């Protein structure tokens, strides 16, 4: 969901994964590469409970940004510095869009400290045509590599963004909140030919969190929610005159186990990105 910037590959190589979610590295045309030095090097020392959002500018303006700051008031990156894993199969989730809102907020992947901003098109702020019904955001320290073709999902390449998360709990979160969630399922959305995973998860503080542990539990305790999520993301571009998005994997949500494989694969891709094993293009690594 974050702003997509062009990434490039410099070697004409192919790479096939026999396990996981079927990825293949394929060469892309080279582009100019701009590397940026990471500012916060020790993610392990970051206390996520002390993180808080800090606004800059006025909401619904082009200059509006929401930064994450630590307990000492220092800026940190919600994409690079917040640890993905919170232990015992639990992950950190950064909220970009609170439920029942329509401003299309996203991590600015090409700006230092990758703050959350409102997306634009032709200089105008972007809004969804209707409210999103769940908390929406990203898993930190993940990246959908645009040079990897997923053989499970029609050979689609990654969308060059962190992995998206749809959190189905009852509480409306705030922009920049960092929540602990457990994944439950995944939807393989194909947006204009690019693979854009949607991981369905629930916050640990939700009253029903203990009741849902896999995709079948979601249908039992949140009936109709998985279909509603798929249909919402399938159709939200239609009012703007664009075609509906598509979904791979039989148009159905995956198991939790498969969702965990997606998270693991994209975390590995992110690690290669920040280690400069893969050209970063215009992505900010600071």
């Amino acid at each position: 969901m974050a702003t997509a910037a062009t990434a490039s590959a410099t070697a004409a190589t192919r790479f096939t994964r026999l396990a996981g979610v079927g990825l293949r590295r394929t060469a892309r045309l080279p582009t100019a590469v701009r590397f940026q030095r990471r500012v916060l090097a020790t993610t392990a020392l970051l206390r996520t409970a002390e993180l808080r959002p800090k606004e800059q500018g006025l909401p619904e303006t082009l200059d509006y940004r929401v930064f994450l700051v630590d307990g000492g008031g220092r800026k940190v990156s919600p994409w690079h510095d917040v640890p993905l894993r919170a232990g015992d199969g639990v992950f950190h989730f950064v909220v970009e869009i609170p439920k029942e809102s329509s401003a299309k907020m996203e991590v600015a992947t090409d700006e230092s400290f990758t703050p959350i901003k409102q997306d634009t098109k032709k200089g105008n702020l972007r809004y969804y045509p209707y409210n999103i019904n769940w908390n929406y955001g990203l898993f930190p320290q993940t990246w959908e590599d645009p040079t990897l073709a997923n053989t499970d999902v029609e050979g689609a390449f990654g969308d060059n963004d962190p992995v998206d998360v749809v959190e189905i709990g009852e509480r409306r979160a705030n922009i920049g909140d960092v929540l602990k969630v457990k994944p439950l399922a995944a939807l393989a959305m194909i947006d204009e030919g690019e693979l854009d995973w949607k991981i369905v998860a629930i916050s640990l503080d939700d009253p029903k969190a203990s009741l849902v542990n896999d995709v079948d539990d979601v249908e039992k305790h949140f009936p109709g929610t998985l279909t509603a999520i798929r249909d919402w993301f399938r159709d939200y571009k239609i009012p703007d005159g664009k075609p509906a998005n598509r979904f791979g994997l039989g148009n159905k949500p995956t198991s939790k186990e498969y969702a965990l494989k997606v998270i693991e694969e994209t975390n590995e891709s992110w690690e290669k990105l920040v280690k400069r094993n893969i050209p970063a293009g215009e992505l900010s690594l600071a």
Side-chain angles (χ1 to χ4, degrees):
M1 191 179 68
T3 303
T6 303
S8 61
T10 57
T13 61
R14 286 182 178 271
F15 175 78
T16 302
R17 280 191 191 279
L18 299 179
V21 292
L23 298 178
R24 183 179 72 247
R25 187 174 302 287
T26 303
R28 286 284 183 89
L29 292 175
T31 59
V33 175
R34 175 169 57 89
F35 292 131
Q36 296 192 27
R37 184 172 61 87
R38 296 282 294 111
V39 174
L40 185 62
T42 313
T43 298
L45 299 179
L46 191 66
R47 296 181 179 179
T48 56
E50 297 181 355
L51 295 176
R52 59 183 177 85
K54 183 177 181 180
E55 294 180 302
Q56 177 179 297
L58 297 176
E60 299 188 74
T61 66
L62 294 174
D63 296 328
Y64 182 62
R65 299 290 185 275
V66 178
F67 288 90
L68 273 189
V69 296
D70 64 13
R74 294 176 292 268
K75 291 179 180 177
V76 300
S77 167
W79 182 19
H80 300 305
D81 295 328
V82 177
L84 170 62
R85 295 173 180 84
D88 298 324
V90 176
F91 298 84
H92 290 116
F93 157 57
V94 180
V95 179
E96 295 169 301
I97 305 176
K99 66 188 298 184
E100 305 307 332
S101 63
S102 63
K104 193 175 186 300
M105 308 299 295
E106 59 186 21
V107 160
T109 59
D110 58 352
E111 297 183 13
S112 294
F113 297 105
T114 62
I116 298 169
K117 69 173 185 177
Q118 190 166 352
D119 190 23
T120 60
K121 184 176 183 179
K122 297 181 179 179
N124 297 314
L125 297 172
R126 292 187 66 188
Y127 295 85
Y128 290 119
Y130 31 72
N131 285 352
I132 189 167
N133 306 127
W134 312 273
N135 294 312
Y136 188 49
L138 69 124
F139 274 139
Q141 299 184 344
T142 62
W143 180 55
E144 297 196 49
D145 185 346
T147 71
L148 286 183
N150 191 302
T151 56
D152 286 356
V153 190
E154 304 178 17
F157 292 89
D159 71 350
N160 201 29
D161 287 332
V163 169
D164 295 336
V165 181
V166 184
E167 194 277 314
I168 62 174
E170 67 176 20
R171 182 176 74 88
R172 184 181 191 271
N174 299 307
I175 298 174
D177 281 353
V178 180
L179 307 180
K180 292 181 179 180
V181 302
K182 56 181 177 180
L184 303 169
L187 287 161
M189 191 175 92
I190 302 172
D191 183 356
E192 298 182 7
E194 294 181 333
L195 180 56
D196 187 3
W197 287 106
K198 309 298 179 188
I199 305 295
V200 179
I202 190 167
S203 175
L204 292 191
D205 63 9
D206 190 83
K208 293 185 178 181
S210 63
L211 302 177
V212 286
N213 295 291
D214 211 325
V215 62
D216 292 336
D217 297 330
V218 179
E219 193 58 41
K220 179 179 179 180
H221 296 284
F222 295 82
T225 295
L226 292 170
T227 298
I229 292 171
R230 183 198 63 199
D231 292 354
W232 195 98
F233 284 101
R234 181 192 65 198
D235 297 341
Y236 79 88
K237 291 185 175 181
I238 293 177
D240 292 332
K242 294 185 177 180
N245 289 318
R246 299 185 298 109
F247 287 85
L249 301 178
N251 208 37
K252 297 178 180 179
T254 74
S255 66
K256 175 179 181 174
E257 180 182 9
Y258 196 102
L260 292 173
K261 289 179 181 179
V262 172
I263 297 168
E264 182 66 27
E265 293 282 2
T266 53
N267 176 239
E268 291 176 3
S269 291
W270 172 83
E271 289 178 347
K272 293 175 182 177
L273 176 70
V274 296
K275 290 177 182 177
R276 277 80 168 179
N277 293 336
I278 299 174
E282 292 300 309
L283 297 175
S284 172
L285 303 183

